[in-house]
Amino acid sequence: MKKEKLLYAIGQINEDYITDAEPGKKTSNKPVWLKYVAVAACLALALGLGITLLTSGNGEIELPLSTGNICVKYIEKAPAASPKADLEWLTEEELFTKYETAIFSGTIAEIRNIQIDYNGSIDYGAIAKISVENVYRGDCICGETVSVLLPGPVNMKGVWVEDTETISAMREGMRGIFMPLQYDDESFRSQNGATLYLNDIADYGFLDGRRCAFLETDEGLVFAREAYDSIAAATTLGEVENYILDMIP
């Protein structure tokens, strides 16, 4: 939920409830300014809690835009679920020009698997929080943390899933260069009579699990080398960075 939507939601509190909540009094003798101080304190607390306000006690994520019988919740474990769509073949040039993806480097701060229930049809994915360090293309800002929807779950015990080989290697604390698509109000998925607006759960999303990230791992640089033939022998993020700067329009 964006800051503006959060402020709007909090602002809908009925003042009658605030008055009724004070036992034994129908009116208050306290100065009016105290009420606004209290409201300001609540807003500050809400903004400080951030994502906490977007989830319920059972891990469900609030979905203000999505429609139908749909539920998204965080889960500890997920099955090895492959993406349902076939991987679209793209040339090196098309990987940078067909979709106006954001491109930035950063460090993975958190990864959490999610379960998406489309009216009884179950799908799985993950949400990564990435601290942005350098921006090569797009509107994100250095120093901010963005959320990125991954097309499959991330199992932390060395399990990889076909067509998600790169994201399967993602771990908290890992540095990388990332190429996600920014979500807007027209980014959605419909299934089994339910519609999930993707910006309800993340700022960005990967188009696939192989070609949208370059990861600095303990085993070396991980990325889809067959898709990026020009840098197939690259061993450092610096090499990838120079390549990207040459490739982007």
Side-chain angles (χ1 to χ4, degrees), residues 85-89 163 207-211 226:
D86 292 333
L87 194 64
E88 179 184 14
W89 186 86
D163 288 340
L207 292 169
D208 62 65
R210 296 179 61 191
R211 302 171 298 186
E226 74 287 348

Side-chain angles (χ1 to χ4, degrees), residues 51-107:
I51 192 65
T52 303
L53 288 178
L54 303 180
T55 59
S56 65
N58 61 359
E60 289 187 18
I61 300 174
E62 292 185 12
L63 307 172
L65 300 177
S66 301
T67 60
N69 185 18
I70 186 165
C71 172
V72 180
K73 65 180 180 180
Y74 291 112
I75 56 175
E76 292 298 324
K77 297 181 180 180
S82 298
K84 296 179 180 179
D86 292 333
L87 194 64
E88 179 184 14
W89 186 86
L90 298 172
T91 66
E92 282 187 70
E93 291 74 18
E94 287 173 332
L95 286 167
F96 291 94
T97 58
K98 183 167 184 177
Y99 301 99
E100 189 67 18
T101 58
I103 308 176
F104 56 85
S105 66
T107 299

